Amino acid sequence: MELYFLGTGAGMPSKQRNVTSIALNLLDERGTYWLFDCGEGTQHQIMHSPVKLGRTEILFVTHLHGDHLYGLPGLLTSRSYVGGDTPLKMFGPKGLKRFVETALEVSGAHLGYTLTIEELDEEGVIFEDDKFIVETARLEHRIECFGYRITEKDLPGKLMMDKLKELGVPAGPLYGKLKQGEQVELPDGRKLDGQDFVGAPLPGRVVVILGDTRYCEGAKRLARGADVLVHEATFSQAKQDLAYAFDHATSIDAARVAEEAGAKSLIMTHLSSRYQGDDVEELLLEAKAIHGDSYIAKDLWSFEIHRKMS
């Protein structure tokens, strides 16, 4: 599991940072990518990255400001041309469906795959399968905006092979049944309970990706105990008044959310173009003073989320 930052700027693209988009690499877990937001130029950024557009499975939109969705029409149509023939699902605020359908209709675009768009009405669980749960909560921004919490379900513990070998249990189908926690009977009549031969479950990882927001309770609720929190940091603390006026966060706001929520790693993104060179380091130092495990994302940078070992 790995985060790949396709665009890390705020408002409009600059020479150093494109507008917002993040890919979650789930190739090892499910053979796909999930995308979060799709600012203008996202498909161009993908061409300079290892991300495979044809293998995207779900696209989550946090809100409908242009720097988070103007890249959608081009990306959706290009997906057909790079082998993307599997269904694609999108989640986002009300109005997302109208925006996408209008753009595709007016341009006469044809998609070679099934596109499903689900607009969000309520907070809570919006997706669940045997491997992942995705929850959402409202944030505080000028328009309706959501954050997403991606929780990987715990993996079954490892089979205690050495213990079974000591007991003389022959390798084969019996091992598979024991790993499933079933009870088995050996050829010599002994009965074994799989629960006695499987280690503790391996805890799943939690990644939280927020849209644009002030410091708020919704962000803290989603970020609770996360392995990684991705939070906007549009401004430095010196611009706190400006951040509040435009419903954005400072680096210190982001660090406060991470620290108060007990998140392990904080990654700041959505930086104003006024911060270049040493100014970016200033943002990082502000955050680290509150939450030591903090980073600032840059375009085409990745961050691996390691599995916790119980």
Side-chain angles (χ1 to χ4, degrees):
M1 185 185 292
E2 178 187 59
L3 286 166
Y4 198 91
F5 291 83
L6 298 164
T8 58
M12 59 181 290
S14 69
K15 291 181 179 179
Q16 290 75 32
R17 297 178 184 273
N18 197 52
V19 284
T20 300
S21 184
I22 302 169
L24 181 60
N25 180 345
L26 297 174
L27 290 178
D28 289 343
E29 292 76 19
R30 59 196 300 121
T32 62
Y33 291 92
W34 289 359
L35 292 181
F36 294 81
D37 285 333
C38 186
E40 180 184 359
T42 293
Q43 66 169 318
H44 293 272
Q45 294 291 88
I46 286 176
M47 289 190 290
H48 297 286
S49 80
V51 176
K52 304 299 182 186
L53 180 56
R55 298 183 73 172
T56 54
E57 177 191 17
I58 307 178
L59 203 161
F60 301 88
V61 175
T62 62
H63 65 295
L64 303 186
H65 276 156
D67 58 323
H68 293 257
L69 88 162
Y70 281 170
L72 280 175
L75 181 139
L76 293 175
T77 51
S78 291
R79 185 175 184 267
S80 292
Y81 300 127
V82 294
D85 56 5
T86 55
L88 178 67
K89 183 156 188 153
M90 295 178 60
F91 292 93
K94 291 180 181 179
L96 176 62
K97 186 173 184 180
R98 181 158 59 98
F99 173 83
V100 171
E101 290 182 346
T102 299
L104 297 179
E105 179 184 356
V106 169
S107 63
H110 171 74
L111 304 183
Y113 57 88
T114 301
L115 175 65
T116 304
I117 302 174
E118 185 171 322
E119 297 186 329
L120 303 175
D121 289 318
E122 304 289 340
E123 298 180 311
V125 175
I126 59 169
F127 174 87
E128 182 173 5
D129 64 7
D130 61 331
K131 294 183 179 179
F132 288 92
I133 300 174
V134 180
E135 303 168 73
T136 190
R138 285 184 170 87
L139 306 174
E140 293 185 11
H141 194 45
R142 285 176 290 162
I143 62 174
E144 188 167 58
C145 185
F146 291 90
Y148 297 95
R149 178 184 176 95
I150 305 96
T151 302
E152 179 186 34
K153 294 185 177 180
D154 293 350
L155 296 179
K158 293 183 178 180
L159 189 64
M160 300 176 183
M161 307 284 287
D162 291 343
K163 189 175 179 180
L164 290 171
K165 289 178 181 177
E166 289 176 6
L167 294 174
V169 180
L174 290 179
Y175 276 34
K177 292 182 178 180
L178 289 168
K179 185 169 177 57
Q180 296 300 318
E182 298 179 16
Q183 294 185 349
V184 301
E185 183 173 348
L186 302 181
D188 60 11
R190 287 181 294 164
K191 294 182 179 180
L192 301 178
D193 188 338
Q195 300 290 340
D196 298 329
F197 298 92
V198 178
L202 298 176
R205 292 158 286 186
V206 178
V207 180
V208 176
I209 300 174
L210 305 182
D212 293 1
T213 184
R214 293 177 178 175
Y215 169 90
C216 69
E217 292 301 317
K220 288 198 292 184
R221 189 167 69 250
L222 283 180
R224 186 183 65 256
D227 293 284
V228 180
L229 166 64
V230 179
H231 196 298
E232 72 131 288
T234 308
F235 298 103
S236 69
Q237 181 62 17
K239 300 292 184 182
Q240 176 67 60
D241 291 346
L242 191 61
Y244 191 83
F246 288 95
D247 291 333
H248 282 296
T250 67
S251 54
I252 285 182
D253 291 329
R256 286 179 59 203
V257 171
E259 189 70 12
E260 293 170 13
K264 183 177 181 291
S265 297
L266 166 67
I267 301 177
M268 293 173 287
T269 186
H270 199 269
L271 272 60
S272 167
S273 59
R274 72 185 66 206
Y275 300 106
Q276 305 289 338
D278 292 341
D279 293 334
V280 174
E281 186 66 19
E282 176 190 344
L283 295 176
L284 182 59
L285 291 175
E286 286 184 346
K288 280 182 170 289
I290 295 173
H291 189 80
D293 194 12
S294 295
Y295 306 84
I296 287 187
K298 59 183 179 180
D299 285 20
L300 308 181
W301 175 74
S302 63
F303 184 90
E304 187 172 355
I305 303 126
H306 296 285
R307 188 179 301 283
K308 296 172 291 190
M309 303 305 292
S310 59

